[in-house]
Every structure is written in structure tokens, then in C-alpha cells.
Amino acid sequence: MSSSKESWNIYTIWIGLYLLATALSFDAQTVFSFQSYAISFFDAHSMLGTVTTIQNIVYAVGKAPVARFADLYGRLLSFAVFTVIITIGFIILASSPNAMTFSAGQISYTLGQVGLQFMETIFIADTTSLENRTLGNAMLMSPFLFTTWLGSIIVAKLVPDHWRLGYAMWAVIVPLISLPLLIALWRKSRETMVTTPKRRTTPRSFKAMISRFDAIGLSLFTGGLTLILIPISVSARYIDRWTSPSVLAMLITGIVSVIAFPIYELHMAKHPVLSFQLAKSTSVAASCGVSFCVFCSFYIYQPYFFSYLLVAQNFAVEAANNITLAQTFTSTIVGLVVGFAAKRTGRFKKFALMGGVMKILGGILMLSFRKVTSSTVQLVIAQMVMGMGVGGIMTTNLTGLQATVPRQDVAAATALQATLSSVGGAVGDAISGAIWSHQLPPLLTKYLPAESRHLVPKIRDSILVALSYPPGSPERVAIAKAYDEVMHMMLIVSLVVACFPFFLLMLVQNVDLIEADKLDADSNVVDIVRREYEPLLDGEPRRRGSDSESSRSDGSLMEYGGGNERMDRALRRGLE
């Protein structure tokens, strides 16, 4: 009866988790499209790349603290806190009076989103075997199969005039939809309190708190990324651009901070926020490199792709949103197929390599079909081929990473890869913003009729102004041509970056997932939940050996048994 009750509790948690994943998927389909109109409302459309850069910086620096927070305070409190944070973000976005407040709302929204999504990823790693992990990761992506198309309908109804309502509705929906998960976790924690003695693991002082969250390391990391990437994306607004003293000062300080960060983490931090020592493994380093390049390639063109479809291709809002999301939809389907295939065969690398090829092919098609005269079918096919590549790479790359490290390092390795993914996205956003802000104004000046050239700043800063000119008018034709040439530049850079994942994937170890699970005494999911997961639900991680604060310093959420022997034997079989 006890085993049956435990299984039922885990099922209810999974149901709550899936509901939350559905809500987060749904809001992602709409929020990204609302951004273009909101930023244009504040006459700051050319700053869209900067706003998305800030978002990805938050994604990058937020994941490791999320892991540390969950390690110290448990799953229940973590999910609750990040639900509150994302709700506050929605409220700020809906009520923002200017671009600065809107950016602050984006930071709160992104921090809450990254916290909830990363907790979902770790939950899957906690409660699934390697054989099922690719499928588990794909399952939480499956809501995109239906939210993609529903999101487009909502966007079309709310823009351009009611984008604030779009943010406000999520401020109500997300906390409500998270209640089943929070209630299930609370019930589980109450049951655990009866059977598991509670031990104090939280820091006892403010100084200890600073140490455990590695405040110095986080400051170096956040400051370095911000001071390098933001100037790159906004430098066009300075008269002397790269020679501006303020830009140079930020770049130099940022570079020094980024260099100092890994040195501090490896040699000085008592509780390093990222486990750089894991990157000494060629397979781990290659896997992180793959994630970096995939995200960087995507975000080099993605921030302005929706605006390009509206202005240059003359698509309606719903059609433009559907084309933009076709890649996500396809990657979700491919991820599910690859998940089942990896479960059946125990192999993941061949699927990842095929994804690398499709990613490159998709980039070539996007470059070829990026013309004002291109048909809707051509653009959708290009997006879908790119989605096949992303789905093949990302669902297997995470499993491959987790299969090549000992169990006690799974969470730390996951945090490292997730952080590098977001850094790649931030770099891509900065490149996107730099290309757009540097190249669009002179092209508009070149192509616009002489009597309209004084409107270049307004056209640059608002798609609403660009869309105010009817299709076929001299101004609209000129604007479309300028948009088209800028997008061409972005896609060339994106394609170059997209070539790297295929070669990096060759360096990832080809572990046999089925064999690895057979050799792992902790692979049974119910046993993992009973012995490892339950104690975390009341906020007290289980430690093997010492209970001292120094027993773990990498921010991982759980401690596992086992070592490298199971991975070595599985690797030998994978190479057969």
C-alpha cells in the first residue's frame, strides 16, 4: 500500500508539472510577439535586441542560483518563490509606463521563467532513468504541439492595441495553474516530515548565505556579460560608437570580469556557482559548446524575424506568428520521436548528428528563401527543417551530457550546460541588435524617397510606423528592402555559427543508455524517488557521508551513489 501511495503521489506531481509546463509554453508563444508591439509603443523597436540580450543574461546567470536555492530550501519553496517572481514580472509588464520599466518587468518575468523551467529539468533528471530521460525531456516540450497555434490566435486578437491585457492575463493564469503542483508537493512534504527527521542545512548567517550563493562569482559573471554584450547591441546609438570612452570602459571592465570569473570559481570560491572542473572532460565541454552554438545561431536572427515577416513580407499577425513558431512546433515533434527512438535503441549520438546536418540544411534554406518574393510554403519549410535539426540535437544533447558524468555531478553538469546555452542566446541577441542598429538606418536612408528620409529614426524605432505605410507604396517598398538586406546579413552569420554543432557532436561520448542503466544500481525510478527525492520535498537534501556544509560545493540538488565505472563500461559498448 505504501509503495502504491508513493507512486500515486509522484503521478500527481507529474500531472501538476505538466499543467505548469503547458502554461509556460502557452505564455511563451504570446509574450515574445507582444514584445515587438510593446517596445514599438515606447518608440524603442531598435532596442529589441538589447531587451532580449538582457533576458538571456538573466537566463544565463539565473540557473545556477536556482539550483543552489533548491538545494538549500527544497522543491516546494522553490516552485512557490519562482511562481511569485514570474507573476510580479507579468504585472510590471502589463502596467509599465516606459521602456525602462518594461525592461525591469522582463527581468522579473525571465527570472521566474528560468526558475520554473530549470526546476522541471532537474525533476526529470531526479525521477527518470537514462533510458527514459530523453523521452521525459521531450514530454515536457509536448505542450508546444497545441499551444503554438492557439498562441497565434490570442496574439492576433490582442495586438497592436491590447498587448497590456496579454501580459495581465498571464499574471492570473500562471499562479492559478501552478496550484495543483504546489498542493501535490505540499502534501508530499507533509508525509515526508512524518518519516524523515529534519536537519538544518540552510546558512546560519548572512555571511554564510553570501558564501553559499557565491555572490562574488555571480557578480563577476553578471557584470562581465552585461558590460560586454549590452554595449555591443547599443553601440550604434553613440556618435563615436566603438571609440566612445563609455563604451570602451564597459567593454574593458566586462572582459576583465569574464576572465576573472572562472579563475575565482576554480581557485577561490568556497561554494562555486558553476562546476568548471567538469569541463575538463572533452565530452562535457563539447556538449556545452553544442548548446552554446545552437542557441547563439537561433537568436542571431530570431529577435527581429517576427518584425521582418510583418513589414517586409506583409504577413498578417497570426500568419507571421505561426511561421515564427513553426520551428518550435517541428522541434517538439522530432524531440518526441527521437525520445522514443533513444529509449528503444539506447543510442543518442546518431540522432544528434542527424540533427546537426538538418540544422545546417535549414540555415541554407532560410538564406535561400529569404526574399520579398518568397512564398509562405518556402518560409515554413525552411523553419520546419531548422526545427528538425534543433529537435534532434537538443533532446539528445542533454541526455548525452548527463550520461557521461557520475550521478553526483548530474545537476551541476546540467546547470553548466544550461548556463552556456543562455550565454549563447545572449551573444546571439547582442549580435542581432548590433547588426540591426548598425545596418538598418543607413539602408533606410539609401532606399527611402528623399522627402521621407527625415523619418528614419521613427521607422527604426517602431514597426507601427513602418506598418503605417500601405504595401506597394514607395516608402513601404524601401523599408521592406532595407529589412530584407539586414535579415540577409543576420542569416549568413547564423548559418556560420550553425555549422559548429555538427563537428562538436563528434566529440561527445557515445554511451549506451540501456547498458548504463543496467549497470547503475540506482536506476529504478521508484527507488530514486523513495531514497533521494522525498527528503528534498521538505527542503532538506540527503547527504551521503558528511553532513557538513562542505560536503557539496557545486550547487547540485542531489547526491547519488555510483561512479565512473558504469559509464566506462557503457561507453565501451556504445563504441562497439
Side-chain angles (χ1 to χ4, degrees):
M1 178 67 70
S2 177
S3 177
S4 175
K5 188 175 181 180
E6 290 169 359
S7 299
W8 171 251
N9 286 333
I10 294 302
Y11 293 148
T12 58
I13 293 174
W14 263 94
I15 292 172
L17 195 70
Y18 191 81
L19 289 173
L20 180 60
T22 300
L24 295 178
S25 169
F26 215 151
D27 95 66
Q29 311 312 310
T30 59
V31 167
F32 187 83
S33 298
F34 292 151
Q35 276 186 170
S36 297
Y37 288 94
I39 290 295
S40 293
F41 179 82
F42 300 122
D43 295 324
H45 184 254
S46 63
M47 299 296 291
L48 182 60
T50 304
V51 172
T52 52
T53 298
I54 293 172
Q55 284 183 271
N56 271 304
I57 290 174
V58 176
Y59 269 113
V61 303
K63 290 173 182 176
V66 168
R68 188 64 53 82
F69 187 89
D71 188 24
L72 294 173
Y73 299 104
R75 302 292 198 270
L76 174 58
L77 184 59
S78 298
F79 273 112
V81 167
F82 293 118
T83 298
V84 171
I85 291 174
I86 195 173
T87 302
I88 292 174
F90 285 128
I91 294 172
I92 295 174
L93 290 168
S95 58
S96 54
N98 52 52
M100 291 298 293
T101 307
F102 184 85
S103 298
Q106 286 286 10
I107 292 174
S108 179
Y109 160 71
T110 305
L111 181 59
Q113 187 184 56
V114 70
L116 293 174
Q117 290 180 342
F118 191 69
M119 290 298 298
E120 291 173 351
T121 301
I122 296 301
F123 179 88
I124 293 172
D126 291 346
T127 59
T128 59
S129 61
L130 286 172
E131 180 184 354
N132 293 311
R133 193 160 301 159
T134 302
L135 180 58
N137 288 324
M139 284 298 294
L140 281 189
M141 292 292 291
S142 63
F144 283 99
L145 293 176
F146 55 89
T147 61
T148 298
W149 315 117
L150 295 175
S152 298
I153 297 173
I154 292 176
V155 171
K157 295 292 185 182
L158 295 177
V159 297
D161 299 323
H162 304 295
W163 56 267
R164 292 184 186 276
L165 178 60
Y167 287 114
M169 70 180 186
W170 291 118
V172 177
I173 294 173
V174 170
L176 287 179
I177 209 74
S178 67
L179 286 178
L181 174 62
L182 295 175
I183 292 172
L185 289 172
W186 176 76
R187 291 180 61 185
K188 192 67 178 174
S189 66
R190 291 290 296 263
E191 295 171 7
T192 305
M193 289 173 62
V194 177
T195 58
T196 306
K198 192 171 183 179
R199 292 177 297 188
R200 183 187 181 95
T201 60
T202 55
R204 298 174 181 274
S205 65
F206 179 75
K207 183 178 180 179
M209 178 75 73
I210 294 295
S211 175
R212 288 295 290 270
F213 280 91
D214 192 17
I216 296 177
L218 280 175
S219 298
L220 289 172
F221 188 31
T222 306
L225 288 178
T226 302
L227 293 173
I228 291 175
L229 299 179
I230 298 301
I232 289 175
S233 65
V234 302
S235 60
R237 289 181 171 267
Y238 292 88
I239 298 177
D240 44 4
R241 298 189 178 182
W242 300 111
T243 58
S244 168
S246 57
V247 171
L248 287 175
M250 286 189 287
L251 288 173
I252 293 172
T253 305
I255 292 171
V256 171
S257 297
V258 168
I259 295 174
F261 174 58
I263 297 174
Y264 175 81
E265 293 293 286
L266 287 169
H267 303 292
M268 302 175 66
K270 185 177 180 182
H271 302 283
V273 72
L274 289 178
S275 299
F276 282 104
Q277 67 272 16
L278 293 176
K280 294 177 181 178
S281 163
T282 301
S283 184
V284 172
S287 181
C288 292
V290 167
S291 295
F292 176 92
C293 292
V294 169
F295 275 73
C296 182
S297 174
F298 177 75
Y299 281 102
I300 285 173
Y301 78 92
Q302 185 65 15
Y304 292 99
F305 187 55
F306 180 70
S307 300
Y308 164 78
L309 293 174
L310 291 174
V311 176
Q313 295 287 348
N314 298 323
F315 282 108
V317 171
E318 186 173 348
N321 205 57
N322 284 336
I323 293 173
T324 304
L325 298 173
Q327 182 175 161
T328 303
F329 177 78
T330 308
S331 67
T332 303
I333 294 177
V334 172
L336 287 168
V337 173
V338 169
F340 279 109
K343 172 179 172 61
R344 183 175 180 83
T345 65
R347 311 283 178 161
F348 67 91
K349 187 170 181 177
K350 57 185 177 183
F351 301 114
L353 289 170
M354 286 189 286
V357 173
M358 296 303 292
K359 174 70 174 171
I360 296 172
L361 178 59
I364 294 173
L365 291 176
M366 276 293 295
L367 194 58
S368 301
F369 296 156
R370 179 244 16 103
K371 298 174 183 176
V372 175
T373 56
S374 296
S375 68
T376 303
V377 173
Q378 289 175 317
L379 288 170
V380 171
I381 288 175
Q383 283 288 94
M384 292 179 71
V385 172
M386 291 186 74
M388 293 171 65
V390 173
I393 294 172
M394 296 310 296
T395 54
T396 54
N397 191 42
L398 178 58
T399 302
L401 172 78
Q402 294 174 345
T404 54
V405 297
R407 280 267 178 142
Q408 67 267 23
D409 292 326
V410 166
T414 302
L416 183 63
Q417 186 199 60
T419 299
L420 266 294
S421 298
S422 298
V423 171
V427 171
D429 278 326
I431 294 173
S432 177
I435 293 175
W436 188 270
S437 58
H438 279 269
Q439 299 300 323
L440 185 64
L443 288 172
L444 288 172
T445 302
K446 177 181 178 181
Y447 295 128
L448 279 170
E451 63 272 17
S452 301
R453 288 174 184 167
H454 67 285
L455 297 173
V456 167
K458 292 185 177 181
I459 296 171
R460 176 198 64 188
D461 290 335
S462 174
I463 61 169
L464 298 177
V465 175
L467 291 171
S468 67
Y469 297 99
S473 64
E475 290 83 1
R476 184 64 173 268
V477 171
I479 295 170
K481 191 172 183 180
Y483 268 56
D484 194 58
E485 290 191 17
V486 173
M487 184 56 62
H488 180 71
M489 298 177 199
M490 291 179 176
L491 289 172
I492 289 175
V493 180
S494 175
L495 177 58
V496 172
V497 177
C499 293
F500 287 97
F502 177 78
F503 299 101
L504 289 171
L505 284 166
M506 294 181 179
L507 302 176
V508 176
Q509 294 173 339
N510 190 24
V511 176
D512 187 304
L513 304 178
I514 297 176
E515 181 67 13
D517 276 331
K518 288 180 180 178
L519 294 173
D520 188 353
D522 294 329
S523 65
N524 181 273
V525 179
V526 175
D527 286 342
I528 290 177
V529 174
R530 184 181 302 156
R531 290 181 287 103
E532 304 285 357
Y533 185 68
E534 285 185 3
L536 283 168
L537 293 172
D538 66 349
E540 304 299 336
R542 174 176 296 178
R543 304 293 186 187
R544 296 195 178 196
S546 172
D547 285 331
S548 68
E549 191 171 273
S550 62
S551 61
R552 287 291 287 162
S553 61
D554 58 8
S556 63
L557 302 183
M558 301 178 65
E559 295 267 352
Y560 294 92
N564 288 320
E565 180 182 358
R566 67 175 181 86
M567 191 269 285
D568 293 337
R569 290 172 60 186
L571 177 59
R572 286 195 294 272
R573 177 171 172 174
L575 293 174
E576 291 176 357

